[in-house]
Amino acid sequence: MSTRALLLRRHSVLPGFNLALGFAVLYLCFIVLIPLSAVFLKTFTVSWGTFVDTVTSPRVVASYRLTFGASFLAALINAVFGLLVSWVLVRYRFPGKRLVDALVDLPFALPTAVAGIALTTLYAQNGWIGKWLPFKVSYTPLGVFIALTFIGLPFVVRTVQPVLEDLQRELEEAAATLGASRLQTFAYVIFPAVMPALLTGFALAFARALGEYGSVIFIAGNMPMVSEITSLLIITKLEQYDYAGATSIAVVMLVAAFALLLLINLLQAWARKRQGR
Amino acid sequence: MSALPVPVEQLAVADAGPLVRPLAPARVADAVSEPAWVRRTLIGVALAFLTLFLFVPLIAVFVQAFAKGLDVYWAALTDSDAVSALKLTLIAAFISVPFNLVFGVAAAWAIGKFDFRGKSVLLTLIDLPFSVSPVIAGLIYLLIFGLQGWWGEWLRDHDLKIVFAVPGIVLATVFVTFPFIARELIPLMQAQGQEQEEAARVLGASGWQILWRVTLPNVKWALLYGVILCNARAMGEFGAVSVVSGHIRGQTNTLPLHIEILYNDYQFAAAFAVASLLAALALVTLVLKYIVERRAKASYDAESLT
């Protein structure tokens, strides 16, 4: 009874609320919350000075620059092409459209290690794609960008697509009758409507890219200061049994991830408001 | 019958929708569409991008897998290390999927069928594992169960092994695949509301009867897709498992880790052969998603007609 008062549950005739919520919360605590708190508790055992030294050492800072930079660029490319792909999938008809639509989710379903070795082989200097390019892609920061673009693609398409589908054609017709060109209609009517979803998709792709490991380590070449991502640095520290160092870097990445999660929630609330739901 | 102001047949026609639903006339469509050359260019650029980034890598996996012939392919899959990696991958998936399934149904029942304070906080917390890097997901279990961790010495004294052993791999997999089934079920069960369950309750059904006979049949396709997606992720997880596995060949290697070892040994054809198994699993997942979405759309259309 006390949990009901605490949670202010609205009355319902359906049974099983306490059991279901109790189990869900317990499971959530044991699998997610308590283990995650270990990271923060472990950091408290590290002195502030050591923590700052670890997370600002040149090699770590170089890895932030690569991870955040490549993730940002990949998310940006995905925002542009994701919008284009969702536009084409919603508005136009072409042969094989359903197949293409279904395959957009491939990066969700394909294990990252598989994506990693496939992209590395393709973009290697003797690979199908790499041999046509005048510059190296595999084993350079550019390779990191390619891998992160691959894994982030579905996020933008799948957030923008439903909004485009729901867009009222009447608004575009009104714009046309008022003399707007098609480009003006897109810039002033359609784009503002999909903007919140586009930003959400961008943030989701960015967040996913920050933590990515499997697909990147194969293609990156993993040279310290040049093509080493932060996730790999955590693993390197762990392999040297430097748990405190690994945890310190992990906390920085976790805080960045949680900040993004908060931003995404705010964006989605904004998007719902804009859609009038 | 005669008391109705409109004959029943006409009502049915009016409700059937398509006849009275406003359709955009062809002339208007011209004003809100693009010239043919713009359309073709946009389709072309989008398809070129998708081909380069999605289709070519997918095809490359299968081509590389068979590059050295069927014998090498078959040998790579029947190699004893590959078989034990496959077994471990199946074990991890067979444990983590049912656990997350029970959690998903419980969470969706509480969130979808009841109103309570703190619901949005709970929803955010369920999404948390999505934003945690897989490497960090592995790290947290090292901090708890590793030799330097909270329970490390206790576990060693009692001769129990969790990290660098199968339980650690299972735990990391459960963490990483935690939200998948819940995320499929919650929005659907929220959208379906609770009228049907309430009706069943009024007719005297017990809670479990309602769950088995009303709720689960209503969400069966989403449930199936959630299970398939969770399974695909469980079998394909790399980062988290890599941290806690210890990479002991034949003992704590899963299929993705086995791929890494083969690839780093320059056994490319063998690595791609194993990878092709996981890629096939990904394709099956996508096909099922397609079927589920069509079923969901068909039942939604059928409902909005009646």
Side-chain angles (χ1 to χ4, degrees):
Chain A
M1 283 299 136
S2 63
T3 52
R4 285 190 193 178
L6 192 71
L7 291 162
L8 282 184
R9 178 169 72 102
R10 199 194 290 167
H11 181 73
S12 165
V13 295
L14 296 179
F17 174 72
N18 287 343
L19 179 67
L21 187 69
F23 176 77
V25 169
L26 202 69
Y27 187 77
L28 179 74
C29 284
F30 274 105
I31 298 294
V32 179
L33 298 183
I34 295 175
L36 263 184
S37 67
V39 179
F40 292 95
L41 290 174
K42 176 79 182 175
T43 336
F44 291 138
T45 64
V46 183
S47 77
W48 178 250
T50 324
F51 175 79
V52 172
D53 284 349
T54 312
V55 300
T56 57
S57 75
R59 190 169 161 191
V60 179
V61 171
S63 82
Y64 296 148
R65 205 176 295 137
L66 173 68
T67 308
F68 283 85
S71 301
F72 186 84
L73 284 180
L76 207 63
I77 289 289
N78 274 327
V80 174
F81 283 94
L83 178 63
L84 175 65
V85 168
S86 35
W87 175 265
V88 165
L89 285 176
V90 171
R91 289 297 171 96
Y92 303 148
R93 270 191 242 173
F94 54 91
K97 178 170 143 172
R98 279 182 175 175
L99 183 73
V100 171
D101 195 2
L103 276 175
V104 164
D105 280 325
L106 183 71
F108 277 151
L110 195 69
T112 50
V114 177
I117 62 169
L119 291 171
T120 312
T121 308
L122 284 176
Y123 286 92
Q125 277 181 310
N126 56 356
W128 290 357
I129 299 175
K131 68 179 166 194
W132 302 105
L133 299 173
F135 44 84
K136 262 182 89 170
V137 176
S138 284
Y139 318 118
T140 71
L142 198 59
V144 177
F145 163 76
I146 297 280
L148 295 180
T149 307
F150 173 84
I151 55 141
L153 178 72
F155 290 92
V156 176
V157 178
R158 292 304 180 224
T159 33
V160 171
Q161 201 177 13
V163 178
L164 270 180
E165 272 165 4
D166 282 355
L167 212 62
Q168 289 173 326
R169 277 293 179 95
E170 288 85 346
L171 294 178
E172 292 168 50
E173 289 165 14
T177 54
L178 293 171
S181 74
R182 198 60 195 142
L183 209 58
Q184 283 172 321
T185 308
F186 182 81
Y188 296 114
V189 178
I190 300 170
F191 190 72
V194 298
M195 188 65 189
L198 189 63
L199 274 176
T200 308
F202 172 84
L204 283 171
F206 184 60
R208 173 78 166 79
L210 281 186
E212 178 56 19
Y213 174 72
S215 60
V216 175
I217 50 151
F218 293 100
I219 202 169
N222 307 325
M223 270 179 296
M225 307 295 293
V226 179
S227 60
E228 191 177 49
I229 56 164
T230 311
S231 294
L232 179 70
L233 213 50
I234 296 176
I235 293 221
T236 313
K237 295 253 182 217
L238 282 178
E239 280 169 356
Q240 297 160 349
Y241 296 102
D242 179 7
Y243 284 21
T247 313
S248 303
I249 304 172
V251 163
V252 173
M253 296 310 279
L254 268 184
V255 169
F258 291 163
L260 268 172
L261 185 67
L262 186 71
L263 179 74
I264 291 166
N265 277 345
L266 292 175
L267 279 171
Q268 280 172 337
W270 180 44
R272 271 196 297 275
K273 221 184 237 173
R274 282 287 287 274
Q275 282 191 319
R277 283 178 189 170
Chain B
M1 274 291 196
S2 55
L4 279 170
V6 186
V8 177
E9 306 84 79
Q10 276 182 29
L11 261 184
V13 170
D15 275 351
L19 290 177
V20 288
R21 205 179 280 164
L23 286 169
R27 296 281 150 219
V28 183
D30 286 344
V32 290
S33 189
E34 294 75 33
W37 68 269
V38 175
R39 282 204 301 266
R40 275 191 214 116
T41 316
L42 291 179
I43 293 173
V45 173
L47 286 184
F49 177 78
L50 290 177
T51 306
L52 198 64
F53 274 94
L54 292 187
F55 309 146
V56 173
L58 180 65
I59 294 163
V61 172
F62 291 100
V63 172
Q64 298 283 344
F66 292 103
K68 295 253 170 75
L70 265 178
D71 293 345
V72 175
Y73 182 83
W74 189 244
L77 294 188
T78 50
D79 173 69
S80 70
D81 285 345
V83 171
S84 68
L86 175 66
K87 273 187 198 151
L88 184 54
T89 297
L90 290 176
I91 289 171
F94 280 155
I95 298 175
S96 55
V97 171
F99 269 98
N100 287 333
L101 173 64
V102 174
F103 164 74
V105 172
W109 179 263
I111 293 173
K113 304 296 175 191
F114 297 91
D115 274 324
F116 57 93
R117 202 162 71 173
K119 202 184 216 177
S120 56
V121 177
L122 186 60
L123 274 172
T124 310
L125 288 178
I126 290 174
D127 274 346
L128 215 51
F130 276 144
S131 48
V132 173
S133 158
V135 170
I136 297 175
L139 168 76
I140 60 183
Y141 291 104
L142 274 191
L143 292 179
I144 297 174
F145 301 115
L147 202 49
Q148 296 181 28
W150 290 353
W151 291 354
E153 299 204 350
W154 187 87
L155 287 169
R156 190 190 52 191
D157 293 344
H158 290 77
D159 210 21
L160 293 169
K161 243 176 133 44
I162 291 189
V163 291
F164 308 134
V166 177
I169 291 174
V170 173
L171 275 175
T173 309
V174 170
F175 181 95
V176 173
T177 57
F178 174 83
F180 283 100
I181 297 174
R183 287 306 293 171
E184 289 302 317
L185 290 183
I186 290 169
L188 185 64
M189 278 168 71
Q190 271 181 322
Q192 285 178 345
Q194 55 258 26
E195 282 97 0
Q196 292 192 16
E197 282 82 2
E198 283 167 359
R201 183 70 178 158
V202 170
L203 292 172
S206 75
W208 293 114
Q209 282 177 321
I210 296 174
L211 185 68
W212 281 114
R213 305 232 173 133
V214 180
T215 308
L216 290 183
N218 272 340
V219 297
K220 59 176 185 261
W221 289 107
L223 188 81
L224 180 66
Y225 176 59
V227 167
I228 298 291
L229 189 63
C230 183
N231 179 60
R233 277 306 178 95
M235 290 190 173
E237 179 48 33
F238 179 76
V241 169
S242 167
V243 173
V244 294
S245 110
H247 303 272
I248 307 165
R249 266 197 205 204
Q251 284 181 39
T252 62
N253 256 349
T254 61
L255 280 184
L257 298 178
H258 189 59
I259 293 174
E260 185 194 18
I261 289 179
L262 291 173
Y263 193 83
N264 290 341
D265 274 356
Y266 301 101
Q267 299 184 41
F268 296 131
F272 277 104
V274 179
S276 72
L277 277 187
L278 291 173
L281 178 72
L283 287 179
V284 170
T285 308
L286 292 185
V287 168
L288 273 159
K289 181 186 157 78
Y290 179 73
I291 295 172
V292 168
E293 274 176 353
R294 282 194 44 175
R295 295 277 175 154
K297 195 172 174 294
S299 68
Y300 177 78
D301 287 349
E303 257 173 44
S304 56
L305 275 180
T306 50

